[in-house]
């Protein structure tokens, strides 16, 4: 095999575009491990080197150059691949922006437009802070989607935002909804009086979709980034967002959804809200909220995203009765248990959503004590190239897993390699999945998942086994992918669909008990 | 609302899909870019 790298000089495309092109070509050639198309940044070159796809030609690429790397039988094959990739990239240049003015820099936009309210920044982390600073200095609120932004930069940017009474949501903030507009990955939800602050990502998405799907709406939903509630950052942006909700006439209910805060930061946040005239609901995932209940009796504490949503819905609609889990799933649980071979004991989760993966880890830990995951930092951590063992939950959107790959919400087909490994393990009984729809997500993720499940079933059928696939759809019934159409496709393929991630995890646990 | 989108074009497309005014920046790394060096240059410029 030949390893060939070719550079396209001084040509920039964002990472998602390049990886989708690469993925499409690789899929058509059935060689996902042998082709890569990336910008020539130092980080990307390291990823290529690690994958064995970088040679001395590729090493010469600069950050503003594209590297096309392929391991092929001969040069003719490479020329074919190169031609296809080049055509794909050319088509993206000619289709887009025919009637839009082209701006090449933030400065260029700011010179001509002085009425911008918000910025969405999703640059490589090493460059993001610099651009965000320019925007904040022009009094523009920011959603910072980028990860790999330093803690030092995060603190400085948030301080700058607060001095100007602005929002700096992030880093690593995937979702926000401002006055009915979705920023980043988001969903079409009803407008209403429920205000939310979350880390944020799929946890926020699941919560707003659950309440909207029951007829209740969102005023604003803000994200703070995953480190905000640490002692280092001190909850700066959480308090800034809560200030906005507290003083917003359109918000009657305030909801917080996050990982556990540090003790001091948690206390500061709750102190700020304890005398609020608005109803307050808090879910610090994985934290025993009994430590706060006595002191903050006016605040409602919940343990899961579903419980949080159900509690808000019930308080707004006392006639709301959720479905009884045991009645709904009793027969199914018995049926699936009886179909297991003796060695099939374990749950494997392959998640696009990090918060949902964390929620699954917490629930499985509570029941079975031992669970392995890449969201854990102790001896139960699984790295990207390590196999799963026993109960394992993988967040495929984690930084380590997305190095050199696009986020699985953009390209769900990237789940396949790992799924293949999991179903080949004879000790696996259940595979947990999530499916995100809405703005920014794939236009038909269910079709991709259906194909993966069908291929996975072929593997297990050859070995005379059955695996139960359980999937929660993180989406609004108003999303353009069509919530019910997505559900139907998956159900017809034998996937069990649940209303929420918590319900999916509970079902998996019951089957494996 | 008017939004400036710097980075992934799919977010710009999402905003247009919602009929929101969005301006996309076809951002590229500065030539000979070293992020740390650029920050130092910015700080010197700020001090004027």
């Amino acid at each position: 095999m030949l390893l060939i790298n070719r550079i396209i000089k001084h040509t920039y495309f964002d990472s998602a575009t390049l990886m989708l092109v690469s993925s499409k070509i690789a899929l058509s050639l059935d060689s996902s491990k042998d082709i890569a198309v990336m910008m020539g940044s130092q980080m990307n070159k390291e990823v290529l080197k690690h994958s064995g796809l970088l040679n001395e030609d590729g090493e010469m690429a600069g950050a503003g150059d594209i590297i096309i790397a392929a391991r092929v039988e001969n040069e003719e094959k490479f020329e074919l691949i190169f031609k296809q990739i080049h055509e794909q990239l050319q088509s993206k240049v000619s289709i887009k922006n025919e009637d839009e003015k082209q701006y090449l820099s933030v400065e260029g936009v700011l010179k001509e437009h002085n009425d911008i309210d918000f910025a969405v920044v999703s640059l490589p982390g090493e460059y993001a802070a610099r651009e965000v600073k320019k925007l904040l200095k022009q009094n523009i609120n920011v959603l910072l989607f980028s990860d790999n932004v330093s803690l030092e930069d995060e603190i400085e940017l948030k301080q700058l935002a607060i001095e100007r009474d602005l929002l700096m949501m992030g880093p690593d903030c995937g979702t926000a909804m401002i006055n009915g507009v979705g920023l980043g990955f988001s969903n079409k939800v009803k407008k209403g009086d429920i205000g939310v602050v979350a880390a944020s990502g799929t946890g926020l998405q699941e919560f707003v979709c659950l309440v909207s799907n029951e007829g209740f709406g969102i005023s604003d939903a803000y994200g703070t980034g995953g480190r905000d509630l640490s002692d280092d950052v001190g909850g700066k942006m959480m308090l800034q967002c809560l200030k906005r909700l507290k003083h917003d006439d359109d918000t009657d209910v305030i909801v917080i959804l996050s990982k556990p805060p540090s003790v001091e930061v948690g206390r500061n946040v709750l102190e700020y809200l304890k005398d609020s005239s608005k109803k307050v609901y808090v879910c610090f995932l994985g934290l025993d909220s009994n430590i706060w209940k006595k002191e903050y009796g006016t605040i409602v504490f919940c343990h899961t995203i579903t419980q949080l949503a159900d509690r808000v819905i019930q308080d707004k609609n006392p006639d709301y009765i959720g479905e009884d889990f045991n009645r709904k799933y009793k027969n199914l649980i018995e049926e699936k248990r009886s179909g297991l071979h003796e060695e099939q004991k374990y749950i494997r989760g392959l998640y696009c959503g990090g918060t949902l993966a964390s929620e699954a880890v917490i629930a499985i830990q509570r029941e079975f004590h031992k669970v392995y995951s890449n969201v854990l930092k102790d001896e139960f951590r699984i790295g990207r190239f390590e196999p799963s063992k026993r109960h394992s939950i993988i967040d495929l959107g984690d930084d380590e897993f997305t190095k050199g790959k696009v986020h699985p919400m953009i390209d769900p087909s990237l789940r396949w390699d790992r799924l293949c490994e999991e179903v080949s393990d004879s000790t696996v009984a259940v595979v947990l999945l999530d499916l995100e729809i809405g703005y920014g997500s794939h236009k038909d993720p269910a079709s991709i998942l259906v194909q993966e499940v069908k291929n996975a079933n072929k593997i297990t059928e050859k070995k005379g086994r059955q695996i139960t696939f359980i999937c929660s759809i993180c989406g609004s019934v108003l999303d353009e992918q069509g919530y019910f159409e997505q559900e139907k496709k998956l159900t017809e393929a034998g996937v069990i669909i649940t209303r929420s991630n918590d319900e999916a995890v509970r079902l998996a646990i019951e089957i494996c008990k | 609302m008017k939004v400036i989108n710097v980075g992934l074009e799919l977010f710009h497309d999402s905003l247009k899909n919602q009929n929101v005014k969005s301006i996309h920046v076809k951002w590229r790394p500065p030539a000979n870019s070293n992020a740390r060096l650029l920050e130092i240059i910015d700080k010197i410029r700020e001090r004027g």
Side-chain angles (χ1 to χ4, degrees), chain A residues 12 14 96 100 102-103 113 115 117-123 126-127 130-131 137 182 184 439-440 480, chain B residues 1-14 16-18 23 25-27 29 33 35 42 46:
Chain A
Y12 185 87
D14 67 56
K96 297 273 182 198
E100 291 177 4
Q102 298 260 341
Y103 292 97
H113 299 268
D115 55 345
D117 315 89
F118 266 89
V120 177
V121 178
S122 52
L123 298 173
E126 62 196 289
Y127 300 108
R130 187 167 181 258
E131 303 300 323
K137 285 182 175 175
Y439 301 119
E480 65 178 12
Chain B
M1 185 189 279
K2 195 166 174 183
V3 181
I4 175 175
N5 183 66
V6 193
L8 299 176
E9 204 161 348
L10 71 99
F11 293 141
H12 171 63
D13 294 337
S14 294
K16 288 202 305 185
N17 219 355
Q18 299 174 71
I23 302 169
V25 175
K26 276 184 78 74
W27 184 91
S33 58
D42 285 343
E46 274 166 34

Side-chain angles (χ1 to χ4, degrees), chain A residues 210-241:
Chain A
L210 286 173
V211 297
S212 175
N213 289 345
E214 291 297 332
F216 300 102
I218 305 299
S219 55
D220 293 302
Y222 300 122
T224 61
R227 287 186 299 219
D228 193 70
L229 295 181
S230 63
D231 281 324
D232 292 315
V233 186
K236 284 183 171 44
M237 201 41 53
M238 171 63 75
L239 290 165
Q240 178 76 337
C241 294

